[in-house]
Amino acid sequence: MRLEAIAAEIRPRRPAEAMDLGMAMVRTWWKDVYGAWLAAAVPTAILAAAVFRHQPILALLAFWLLKPLLDHAPLFALGRALFGERTGAGAALRALPGIWRRCGLLALTAHRLDPGRAFTLPVSQLERLRGAARRARVRTLSRRGHADTVLLKGFCSCFELVLVLGLLAFAVLMLPSPEAELTWIEWSVSTWPPPVWLLWVLVGAEMLAVLFMEPLYVAGGFALYLARRTQVEAWDVEMGFRRLARREEVRRGRGALPAAVVALALLLGAAPPPEPEDAVKKVLEDPAFSTTRKVTAWTFGERKEVGPRAGGAPGLAALGSLLGALLEPLLWAAVLALLGWLLWRAVRLDRARTAALPATGPPVQSALFGLDLRPDSLPADLPGEARRLLAEGKAAEALSLLYRGALAALVARKVTLPRSATEGDCLRAARAAIGAEPAAFFASLTSAWQACAYAQRAPADPVLEGLVRDWPRHFGAAR
């Protein structure tokens, strides 16, 4: 590893300071980090939403299961940028297939269940260790640092929750009346089971929060990994020796000729220097190096001994190792079976809820943007009443009656009109649910209604008479 090429300061850091270093790396190289992350995560989120377009919760579950696999993208950008090699989204996408071949199974099994995976992820991806070598390396590094990554995951999850709640609050503020007059809980309970679009709002808010927070979590874990390696391998000491060596080389280069003259004079007039081993022996013969002291202290963990214990069975250790090797795959199989069962139960529950919806049906819409759509609020002879209003010069009242009747007819034909729908939404829903000729008539009626209601501009009398005349042919049969 080229420590002299690292773009960050190598020194011992406390966990909180190491996490802050991770955030600083994301701020410094945000284009590389978020470019690689979004290039991998956004298509995955879109694909999950497309596959489970009728089951938003399953789309979110699929995206959640694949997060450890996607974490390799920001780590790739961070690892390259740390050594001065800037990468873009294209380079990350080209490198991901090779990384997934080496680490994909591990990312979807052990790392999926490990909240501190950002700390051990560099061991698999950057050090490229596998099997027993990886496990030994992870045990060495995890003696300190892994718990801090779990704490980091908790912090990131809290910020993620705050982002989700903020996005949901923004969505509530954007809801038109009458939903805006209700609290989120009251409105959710009143519309239970929630409509699919509401579930997509929740899923979209969660996905956006993950897209923002996940690179910060990966960078924080990577910084804790660097801090732990600095502590275990004494990177700071090594860097100090390298700086001293470079200064010594510079000093020797400046004084090469005088040093050569002095060395030649010493060689000609002095006795040969002692052998290095003899010098070491003389130093070790000093009494200061011959003192021993026995120290007894309490420690946590197992006590390792060389050789079998007195009076113990030498084969117990081998038997324990054999049992551990046999039980580990069984444990992973049980975990995967549990995940599969949970996914199966989620699919069954979602299908049962979807199958139950047509039986109950959505609540009948009784009002839209202030217009009363209840059948008992409309006259029995709606075209006759509209014609009477036109004769009295009340064009606005006549158009309002025709438009209300058309909306009531659409509701009677089971056309879904949400309470937040506008005139344009109703027109799009009508075009998708009724024939072309009734939809064209409804478009003309909507245009005349909008001009009269909002612009105070009544259509010409022939247009109004044509709307009254043609209304029964398109909407009268549904009443």
Side-chain angles (χ1 to χ4, degrees):
M1 180 179 291
R2 299 179 295 108
L3 293 179
E4 64 277 1
I6 291 182
E9 182 183 357
I10 300 299
R11 59 180 176 82
R13 284 182 168 87
R14 296 187 301 274
E17 191 179 3
M19 296 178 198
D20 186 65
L21 173 64
M23 306 301 111
M25 288 193 292
V26 174
R27 290 196 304 269
T28 303
W29 303 314
W30 66 272
K31 291 183 180 180
D32 298 345
V33 175
Y34 275 98
W37 163 247
L38 295 178
V42 171
T44 304
I46 294 175
L47 180 62
V51 172
F52 301 102
R53 55 185 177 276
H54 301 301
Q55 298 169 325
I57 300 302
L58 291 184
L60 180 60
L61 179 61
F63 184 67
W64 177 83
L65 288 173
L66 294 175
K67 272 202 306 182
L69 200 64
L70 302 174
D71 288 345
H72 292 283
L75 181 60
F76 172 82
L78 286 168
R80 294 296 183 88
L82 185 64
F83 287 91
E85 183 179 350
R86 306 297 296 274
T87 58
L93 291 179
R94 289 190 295 270
L96 281 179
I99 296 174
W100 287 342
R101 281 194 297 270
R102 295 193 312 270
C103 314
L105 181 60
L106 186 67
L108 295 177
T109 53
H111 281 171
R112 179 59 273 173
L113 302 176
D114 183 11
R117 64 181 180 271
F119 181 75
T120 56
L121 188 62
V123 177
S124 305
Q125 179 175 339
L126 303 182
E127 299 186 34
R128 299 190 176 187
L129 297 180
R130 304 178 67 179
R134 178 193 170 277
R135 289 193 295 270
R137 181 67 165 169
V138 168
R139 281 196 301 269
T140 300
L141 296 178
S142 297
R143 290 171 186 168
R144 292 183 61 183
H146 187 270
D148 298 315
T149 316
V150 176
L151 186 63
L152 171 67
K153 179 62 177 176
F155 289 153
C156 292
S157 298
C158 291
F159 281 107
E160 187 176 307
L161 178 61
V162 170
L163 287 176
V164 171
L165 294 177
L167 291 172
L168 292 179
F170 177 76
V172 171
L173 292 177
M174 294 296 103
L175 289 175
S177 180
E179 286 83 351
E181 300 175 359
L182 301 174
T183 65
W184 177 260
I185 297 178
E186 291 173 345
W187 187 67
S188 301
V189 172
S190 64
T191 58
W192 190 264
V196 176
W197 71 265
L198 174 60
L199 293 178
W200 275 119
V201 170
L202 297 172
V203 171
E206 174 62 23
M207 285 185 174
L208 288 175
V210 170
L211 290 178
F212 178 75
M213 289 302 305
E214 194 68 12
L216 299 175
Y217 166 65
V218 174
F222 181 47
L224 288 170
Y225 162 82
L226 294 176
R228 178 60 176 158
R229 286 199 63 177
T230 301
Q231 181 186 33
V232 172
E233 302 173 18
W235 281 0
D236 55 331
V237 177
E238 182 177 352
M239 290 294 295
F241 279 127
R242 291 188 181 186
R243 286 193 295 269
L244 289 175
R246 285 196 296 269
R247 286 201 296 266
E248 184 65 18
E249 289 176 359
V250 173
R251 187 186 65 80
R252 287 180 178 178
R254 291 176 179 173
L257 183 60
V261 174
V262 173
L264 180 61
L266 290 176
L267 288 174
L268 294 177
E275 293 293 331
E277 293 183 2
D278 297 338
V280 171
K281 290 179 180 179
K282 290 182 179 180
V283 172
L284 293 178
E285 289 174 358
D286 191 280
F289 291 94
S290 60
T291 302
T292 59
R293 184 176 59 176
K294 184 177 180 180
V295 178
T296 303
W298 290 95
T299 60
F300 292 97
E302 297 181 357
R303 179 182 178 185
K304 296 182 179 180
E305 299 182 0
V306 179
R309 294 183 179 179
L316 289 179
L319 179 60
S321 301
L322 178 61
L323 290 176
L326 292 176
L327 290 177
E328 183 176 0
L330 293 178
L331 177 61
W332 284 117
V335 170
L336 292 177
L338 177 61
L339 290 176
W341 180 81
L342 291 174
L343 181 60
W344 175 77
R345 287 291 297 171
V347 172
R348 288 287 302 274
L349 291 174
D350 190 79
R351 287 180 178 176
R353 183 186 65 83
T354 305
L357 286 179
T360 58
V364 177
Q365 190 62 273
S366 61
L368 277 176
F369 33 85
L371 298 179
D372 192 352
L373 305 184
R374 293 175 300 169
D376 56 0
S377 68
L378 299 172
D381 183 13
L382 191 146
E385 181 65 18
R387 191 175 291 106
R388 185 187 65 80
L389 292 172
L390 281 180
E392 296 177 1
K394 300 178 180 179
E397 288 80 354
L399 281 174
S400 175
L401 183 60
L402 292 174
Y403 190 63
R404 283 200 302 131
L407 291 178
L410 291 176
V411 172
R413 295 179 186 183
K414 307 301 182 183
V415 178
T416 303
L417 300 177
R419 286 185 290 179
S420 59
T422 62
E423 288 90 345
D425 295 331
C426 296
L427 182 57
R428 283 188 289 271
R431 285 171 175 168
I434 62 178
E437 190 175 354
F441 173 80
F442 184 66
S444 301
L445 178 59
T446 301
S447 177
W449 152 254
Q450 289 177 324
C452 188
Y454 301 126
Q456 307 299 323
R457 187 176 67 252
D461 290 341
V463 175
L464 292 173
E465 293 173 358
L467 293 174
V468 174
R469 180 185 66 251
D470 297 337
W471 191 94
R473 182 158 56 93
H474 300 296
F475 293 105
R479 296 194 64 251

